[in-house]
Amino acid sequence: MNRLFRESFLYLCLLALLLASLVTGGTESPVRFLFFPLMAVFSLFFSSKALHTAGFAFTILFPLLYLTNPPTPDRLSSDLAGITAFFFCTLAVGYLSKRIHQERFRYETAIATFHSLSEALNLKNMNLQTALDALSEAHKKLQEFDKTKTEFISNVSHELRTPLSSIRSYSEILLNYDDIDPETQREFLQTINGESVRMSVFASEVLDLIRLGSGKVGTEFSPVKTMELLLEGERIIRPMAMEQGLELLLENKEDLPDVSGEKNQLIQVLVNLLNNAVKFTRKGTIRLGAQVKDGFVEISVSDTGEGIFPEEREVIFEPFARIAEQGLNRPKGSGLGLSISKGIVEFHGGKIWVESELGKGSTFFFTVPVAAMPARGFELVEQGKLDPQLLHFKPILVVTYDTVSRRCLRKKLEEVGYHTLGADTPARARAIIGTMRPGLIVTEVPEDWEEFEALVRWARDAGVRILLTTVHVRAGDETALAVHGYVSKPFDKYEIHALLESYQVKGDPVMIVSPDRDESRTLQVILGAAGYETLLFHDGPQAVRSCKNSCPGALFVGTFAKEQLEEILTGVRSSPRSGNVPTFLILDAALNKYVTPVTMSPAGRKAEAKSLYKLIGEIEKEYSKGLE
């Protein structure tokens, strides 16, 4: 439309020049000489074809001016020369326009190439900077790890040196001197025994700390009565409090619900907090209480001790952290109690913190999930629908954020004959696990990797396999597999190449859609280096439209939010043209050996896209292991 308008403007200008010549003298009008500068100017903006058409039309129409002013014999030759000049001017201007446009095209191509090379260079610089940042971060972490390891060994050596020195000194005295009176011998033996107990407790604390740090706790949660925890903690600490002249008050709450956890570990946390309260309180009262808040039981231990400085309230939960340990008459300890307590509480899905005011005391709080209260998303199935032959299997826990996908997937599994449970987040799945242990967990790509990793740790300790899959619900509530594979960050180029080769993706372009520009460009560089042409998108709907039109050889989908991911997968799978495009999801972290991805395979992917038999096959395989 723009081109037609511009060419119409050209024709109108020459027509106006022709009419102006007619009005001002016809073939002898001086206005006719404007043709030459006008055509020269027009050569900058119009194509040679348009100029030829307009110029030749002007040359042909110009003799019509003789109708109003017939030529005389003496002017005939000069007029003919003018018309010939118009003709050759048109040819010259057309040639000039062609050369101008060629040079302009070369210039624009050079500019585009420059910008492309500049962008490629910037991308390489960015990738190099990213790699450098990653190396710097890794180096920093290694330095921190080395420093932590050194400090840990130093602290352990220091804690062991003192009791070992006492044991060695007193034992050497007992071995080398026979004239020691029985009372002194007994005192020495009591010291040796006390230091041995102290070393044993310290060794146990170190092992607890290492086990919590590695995630190898090896416990299974069960409902625990909150009042039993409080009463047991009070029973253990009351003699120590009475010896210090302190009052220990238990704020009794008979209506407290049960919590989900391991009883001995929770008692260990409570005793650690009460023990610290007694050690750091010279006079006054220690209060132990609990209340229900947002699906958790919040347990508190308050004292009237010296208080904690604000800058120390986070430090005290670090290993070997002790406040003002160089002061006079400071209580002795390894500095591991609060660190171990923090690890236990977080393993149970709760949190621990302290509120304090200098000179007035401190209050430590920790939370534990309620066991008796069903979590949101806890969906049971009617037992009458189950196949009696399969009731000996433990239930399958389905964890998906989308309610429709979760219920449709559970319906399909129940039709096969499995007993299922449902949860909408990994955190609520752990709450359900506290009341009913599943045989398998079927989950989708998580939105919160920290929650997912906590679920994986539980599954690892409990020996329960996690099946990671991505499903979408087609028309008619039909549930089907949605992706062909997963690619985890940091990217492994060999893994990506093998994945594309297994789907025979060679000549067709590869589409990347991701909201993270660094993520998408890094993947683009890896694919480009392998010879793949790439199409890059940051917007989901635009990528879906392009995928339906161009049908790429493969599709990589980045870390979108759940709703956007579902929209992309549904849009791509809804089109017959793009429905079978191999689709790979990008994961924020690598999967470990306790998580099995369930995806469509290169062979027979059309059939798999319309069913869940690959998932059923994995479930059958896992359950068959338990029957062997």
Side-chain angles (χ1 to χ4, degrees):
M1 189 68 181
N2 186 39
R3 178 184 173 187
L4 180 61
F5 174 78
R6 292 171 67 244
E7 291 184 357
S8 299
F9 175 76
L10 170 63
Y11 300 142
L12 289 174
C13 286
L14 293 181
L15 180 60
L17 178 62
L18 197 64
L19 293 176
S21 298
L22 177 63
V23 174
T24 59
T27 56
E28 295 183 353
S29 172
V31 176
R32 70 184 187 275
F33 295 112
L34 291 176
F35 175 81
F36 302 105
L38 279 176
M39 291 296 285
V41 173
F42 288 156
S43 66
L44 299 174
F45 305 102
F46 297 96
S47 65
S48 59
K49 182 179 179 181
L51 290 171
H52 283 159
T53 303
F56 290 148
F58 182 87
T59 304
I60 293 170
L61 294 175
F62 186 78
L64 296 179
L65 298 181
Y66 288 117
L67 296 177
T68 60
N69 186 13
T72 60
D74 57 333
R75 289 192 6 243
L76 187 59
S77 59
S78 62
D79 291 342
L80 183 60
I83 294 173
T84 304
F86 294 152
F87 176 78
F88 283 107
C89 177
T90 301
L91 291 177
V93 168
Y95 175 76
L96 180 62
S97 172
K98 185 177 180 180
R99 290 302 303 270
I100 289 175
H101 281 76
Q102 286 177 346
E103 294 301 323
R104 180 178 295 166
F105 176 76
R106 291 176 184 174
Y107 172 76
E108 291 176 350
T109 302
I111 291 296
T113 303
F114 172 77
H115 285 304
S116 177
L117 292 174
S118 177
E119 184 176 354
L121 181 61
N122 290 335
L123 179 60
K124 289 183 181 295
N125 287 334
M126 181 187 67
N127 291 334
L128 287 174
Q129 186 62 44
T130 302
L132 180 61
D133 291 343
L135 288 173
S136 300
E137 186 67 22
H139 179 65
K140 182 179 179 181
K141 288 182 179 179
L142 285 174
Q143 287 182 320
E144 291 177 353
F145 174 77
D146 186 64
K147 181 181 178 181
T148 302
K149 181 189 70 173
T150 303
E151 290 178 351
F152 180 81
I153 294 174
S154 175
N155 286 321
V156 170
S157 301
H158 174 74
E159 291 296 332
L160 292 177
R161 188 182 297 113
T162 301
L164 281 174
S165 298
S166 299
I167 292 173
R168 181 178 177 180
S169 299
Y170 286 115
S171 61
E172 285 179 349
I173 293 173
L174 291 174
L175 287 172
N176 295 327
Y177 297 94
D178 297 330
D179 56 346
I180 301 175
D181 61 272
E183 184 177 350
T184 303
Q185 289 182 358
R186 181 175 181 81
E187 180 183 348
F188 285 2
L189 289 174
Q190 286 178 340
T191 301
I192 292 173
N193 180 70
E195 295 298 326
S196 300
V197 171
R198 179 182 167 190
M199 287 178 60
S200 177
V201 171
F202 178 73
S204 298
E205 289 179 338
V206 171
L207 290 175
D208 287 343
L209 186 66
I210 294 173
R211 189 162 55 247
L212 286 168
S214 65
K216 298 179 180 179
V217 183
T219 58
E220 185 173 346
F221 293 171
S222 60
V224 179
K225 293 187 179 301
T226 303
M227 282 307 303
E228 289 184 3
L229 291 177
L230 300 179
L231 291 172
E232 183 67 13
E234 181 201 26
R235 183 188 66 80
I236 294 173
I237 296 298
R238 183 168 291 280
M240 185 186 303
M242 293 177 64
E243 184 178 348
Q244 297 285 354
L246 302 174
E247 184 180 10
L248 178 59
L249 297 180
L250 172 60
E251 298 177 351
N252 196 2
K253 296 283 185 78
E254 297 294 343
D255 57 345
L256 291 172
D258 294 350
V259 295
S260 175
E262 204 282 323
K263 184 176 180 180
N264 291 330
Q265 290 186 358
L266 295 177
I267 290 176
Q268 181 181 357
V269 175
L270 192 56
V271 169
N272 279 342
L273 297 182
L274 288 169
N275 184 39
N276 283 345
V278 171
K279 287 196 301 183
F280 291 94
T281 304
R282 298 183 181 277
K283 61 179 180 179
T285 303
I286 297 173
R287 297 180 183 274
L288 174 62
Q291 59 180 330
V292 181
K293 280 188 177 182
D294 301 326
F296 289 82
V297 172
E298 181 183 276
I299 299 175
S300 61
V301 175
S302 301
D303 62 55
T304 56
E306 60 193 35
I308 304 171
F309 286 97
E311 61 271 16
E312 296 176 336
R313 292 173 192 171
E314 293 295 331
V315 178
I316 58 175
F317 292 102
E318 298 296 326
F320 299 104
R322 285 173 287 195
I323 301 174
E325 60 177 334
Q326 303 302 327
L328 296 176
N329 299 322
R330 300 297 296 172
K332 300 297 181 181
S334 64
L336 295 177
L338 289 179
S339 176
I340 293 172
S341 299
K342 182 175 185 285
I344 293 174
V345 170
E346 290 179 350
F347 177 75
H348 280 71
K351 61 180 181 178
I352 185 170
W353 71 98
V354 62
E355 295 177 1
S356 180
E357 187 175 353
L358 287 176
K360 295 186 178 181
S362 306
T363 302
F364 283 83
F365 301 88
F366 72 94
T367 60
V368 187
V370 172
M373 184 183 299
R376 280 190 307 168
F378 183 34
E379 305 158 351
L380 295 172
V381 66
E382 296 180 17
Q383 297 287 339
K385 296 182 179 180
L386 299 177
D387 185 349
Q389 296 180 354
L390 295 175
L391 284 176
H392 62 280
F393 288 128
K394 290 183 179 179
I396 299 173
L397 177 58
V398 178
V399 185
T400 65
Y401 294 88
D402 184 69
T403 303
V404 175
S405 297
R406 183 171 64 254
R407 290 181 176 175
C408 290
L409 179 55
R410 292 187 60 204
K411 178 182 177 184
K412 286 294 182 181
L413 295 177
E414 289 162 10
E415 288 176 354
V416 178
Y418 292 104
H419 177 21
T420 67
L421 306 170
D424 56 355
T425 63
R428 295 192 179 96
R430 291 174 59 202
I432 294 173
I433 289 167
T435 61
M436 184 179 297
R437 176 175 172 175
L440 273 176
I441 299 174
V442 177
T443 185
E444 62 181 353
V445 176
E447 289 187 346
D448 189 329
W449 275 96
E450 291 185 1
E451 288 187 357
F452 180 73
E453 288 172 355
L455 183 64
V456 172
R457 285 197 297 270
W458 176 91
R460 177 194 62 195
D461 296 332
V464 176
R465 176 67 60 180
I466 293 180
L467 302 181
L468 178 70
T469 188
T470 303
V471 299
H472 71 107
V473 180
R474 297 184 289 112
D477 290 343
E478 288 293 327
T479 307
L481 298 177
V483 300
H484 301 80
Y486 298 100
V487 178
S488 58
K489 295 189 296 186
F491 295 122
D492 184 343
K493 63 179 181 180
Y494 301 106
E495 175 190 4
I496 295 172
H497 296 168
L499 198 59
L500 292 174
E501 287 176 2
S502 67
Y503 283 86
Q504 300 179 355
V505 180
K506 295 180 179 179
D508 296 327
V510 176
M511 180 178 291
I512 304 170
V513 50
S514 171
D516 188 334
R517 295 184 181 273
D518 292 340
E519 173 184 88
S520 57
R521 287 185 176 177
T522 302
L523 185 57
Q524 185 183 32
V525 170
I526 293 175
L527 293 173
Y532 290 98
E533 180 185 352
T534 56
L535 304 173
L536 191 60
F537 293 92
H538 302 295
D539 178 65
Q542 184 182 2
V544 170
R545 289 192 296 269
S546 178
C547 186
K548 290 180 179 179
N549 295 330
S550 62
C551 191
L555 172 64
F556 286 87
V557 183
T559 49
F560 283 93
K562 174 60 182 173
E563 295 78 10
Q564 294 172 302
L565 177 61
E566 183 67 25
E567 182 181 353
I568 293 172
L569 295 177
T570 302
V572 171
R573 293 286 172 259
S574 63
S575 171
R577 181 176 173 83
S578 62
N580 293 319
V581 172
T583 303
F584 311 113
L585 291 190
I586 299 174
L587 303 179
D588 270 335
L591 301 176
N592 61 35
K593 62 180 180 180
Y594 300 98
V595 182
T596 301
V598 182
T599 61
M600 289 182 277
S601 57
R605 67 187 186 219
K606 290 185 179 180
E608 290 177 355
K610 299 178 181 179
S611 67
L612 291 173
Y613 78 82
K614 187 79 180 292
L615 176 60
I616 300 299
E618 289 293 336
I619 294 174
E620 291 287 345
K621 185 196 302 184
E622 292 299 326
Y623 275 138
S624 64
K625 293 178 182 178
L627 298 177
E628 295 175 354

